[in-house]
Amino acid sequence: DQQVKQNSPSLSVQEGRISILNCDYTNSMFDYFLWYKKYPAEGPTFLISISSIKDKNEDGRFTVFLNKSAKHLSLHIVPSQPGDSAVYFCAASGETGANSKLTFGKGITLSVRP
Amino acid sequence: EAEVAQSPRYKITEKSQAVAFWCDPISGHATLYWYRQILGQGPELLVQFQDESVVDDSQLPKDRFSAERLKGVDSTLKIQPAELGDSAMYLCASSKDGYEQYFGPGTRLTVT
């Protein structure tokens, strides 16, 4: 039973346009959400996070939106750049402190065309 | 910028052999995690340490996998004996406050 779902395996976007990556979750106990970016043969790199008490968090070109009632979050990248081409993982956590286990989705491969 | 260190980066081993991976977390990070990532999937937690204590090892195949963090700093993950199905990326991560986790570059294991 997958608790974090990234239903679209891939996304292709023109450089300069907006990339929207979606993520759904089923566990209502999740209260902290993160996005990671991963290049081949490297470990995931933390991008941005959001707590369940917020509905939006912005960091430069990256914005994460959270809709708790729909159990849905999305990552917006504006403007998209070729260097953004990577696999993006959505992750969720139900607790903080010593029990902060992350549950990951399967990832979305983003390709930004020059 | 401080990083999580892992070694080796790549490991090829024959099935039934023993293999070990090492991780050095970011200085001051009390929580350390080992994840396994199979191609096409997201990382899955194998074991979590808080200082030198195991917090969660419910997904660790204890008949062949072991992990330790003796002094609460660096950590070793061992597989003995390795099986073909263990081929994967093994990722180490650390966290200071239990929120963001920072990952190392991983060890790509191939079992032949």
Side-chain angles (χ1 to χ4, degrees), chain A residues 38-114:
Chain A
K38 187 179 184 301
Y39 293 118
E42 294 185 11
T45 301
F46 170 72
L47 267 180
I48 192 168
S49 61
I50 187 167
S51 166
S52 60
I53 62 174
K54 295 184 176 181
D55 55 16
K56 177 183 175 181
N57 190 24
E58 190 173 355
D59 184 1
R61 296 186 297 115
F62 302 92
T63 303
V64 56
F65 295 92
L66 175 63
N67 182 333
K68 282 191 65 178
S69 61
K71 294 189 176 68
H72 176 84
L73 63 154
S74 61
L75 174 67
H76 293 209
I77 306 173
V78 182
S80 301
Q81 300 173 353
D84 295 330
S85 297
V87 178
Y88 288 79
F89 291 99
C90 171
S93 172
E95 295 167 301
T96 59
N99 294 311
S100 51
K101 169 184 174 179
L102 288 180
T103 301
F104 285 83
K106 289 187 176 182
I108 300 172
T109 300
L110 173 65
S111 298
V112 180
R113 307 185 304 272

Side-chain angles (χ1 to χ4, degrees), chain A residues 3-23:
Chain A
Q3 299 186 71
V4 177
K5 301 178 182 180
Q6 295 179 262
N7 293 319
S8 300
S10 63
L11 175 67
S12 182
V13 172
Q14 191 74 36
E15 181 180 4
R17 306 293 289 269
I18 184 171
S19 294
I20 300 176
L21 289 71
N22 294 308
C23 178

Side-chain angles (χ1 to χ4, degrees), chain B residues 23-34 47-55 66-77 92-95:
Chain B
C23 172
D24 192 12
I26 294 171
S27 178
H29 283 199
T31 313
L32 183 147
Y33 314 79
W34 283 102
V47 62
Q48 177 182 340
F49 290 91
Q50 182 70 23
D51 299 309
E52 67 276 7
S53 301
V54 173
V55 173
S66 64
E68 60 182 17
R69 192 184 184 198
L70 293 177
K71 296 183 179 179
V73 181
D74 58 340
S75 175
T76 302
L77 178 68
C92 179
S94 69
S95 177

Side-chain angles (χ1 to χ4, degrees), chain B residues 11 13-21 34-36 46 60-67 76-90 107 109-111:
Chain B
K11 181 69 178 179
T13 190
E14 294 182 348
K15 63 180 181 179
S16 79
Q17 295 298 304
V19 64
F21 314 129
W34 283 102
Y35 289 86
R36 177 170 61 185
L46 289 174
L60 188 71
K62 299 181 188 64
D63 56 336
R64 298 185 301 106
F65 285 65
S66 64
T76 302
L77 178 68
K78 296 179 181 177
I79 308 174
Q80 183 175 19
E83 296 181 353
L84 295 177
D86 297 331
S87 295
M89 175 78 89
Y90 290 82
T107 296
L109 173 66
T110 301
V111 182

